[in-house]
């Protein structure tokens, strides 16, 4: 080591690499913390809501009054695999895709 480097307080030999592992880990702690926040505030509630919506769609039956994503209210007249026939007025029936049903009206 030169006298200039020693006078400036530079570490001798491999001493600089010893603290590098802990410093690298400390750089990832905020990222891990942010991911945990996103998971508990955004991802987990979204998955729970999607699971409840799938369960609601599976429980639909003929005669249920429902509301669609477009705001149409009607009574289920027929159920197919992915298509629902809604009666929106006496004698007026429309077909919609099953995933567009948002709520069952009590």
């Amino acid at each position: 080591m030169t006298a200039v480097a020693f006078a400036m307080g530079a570490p001798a030999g491999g001493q600089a690499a010893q603290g590098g592992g802990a410093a690298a880990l400390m750089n990832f702690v905020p990222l891990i913390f942010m991911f945990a926040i996103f998971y508990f505030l955004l991802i987990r509630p979204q998955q729970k809501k999607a699971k409840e919506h799938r369960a609601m769609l599976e429980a639909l039956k003929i005669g249920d009054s429902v509301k669609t994503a477009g705001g149409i209210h009607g009574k289920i007249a027929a159920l197919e695999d992915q298509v629902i026939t809604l009666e929106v007025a006496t004698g007026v029936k429309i077909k919609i895709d099953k995933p567009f049903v948002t709520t069952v009206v009590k």
Side-chain angles (χ1 to χ4, degrees):
M1 180 180 272
T2 65
V4 175
F6 184 73
M8 293 178 66
Q15 292 178 354
Q18 290 177 356
L25 180 63
M26 291 305 291
N27 288 337
F28 286 111
V29 169
L31 292 174
I32 294 169
F33 185 67
M34 285 175 35
F35 179 76
I37 290 173
F38 275 113
Y39 178 76
F40 285 110
L41 293 180
L42 299 174
I43 298 170
R44 190 169 176 226
Q46 182 90 15
Q47 289 175 340
K48 183 178 178 183
K49 187 175 180 180
K51 184 177 179 181
E52 290 172 354
H53 187 254
R54 280 191 302 272
M56 185 265 307
L57 290 178
E58 294 297 322
L60 290 177
K61 58 188 179 297
I62 295 176
D64 284 347
S65 295
V66 296
K67 179 181 172 187
T68 68
I72 298 172
H73 292 256
K75 188 178 286 190
I76 297 177
L79 278 172
E80 295 176 23
D81 191 30
Q82 287 297 317
V83 177
I84 295 176
T85 303
L86 286 182
E87 185 172 7
V88 293
T90 306
V92 179
K93 295 180 181 178
I94 60 172
K95 289 187 177 188
I96 63 162
D97 287 338
K98 197 173 187 178
F100 286 101
V101 173
T102 56
T103 56
V104 176
V105 180
K106 304 283 184 203

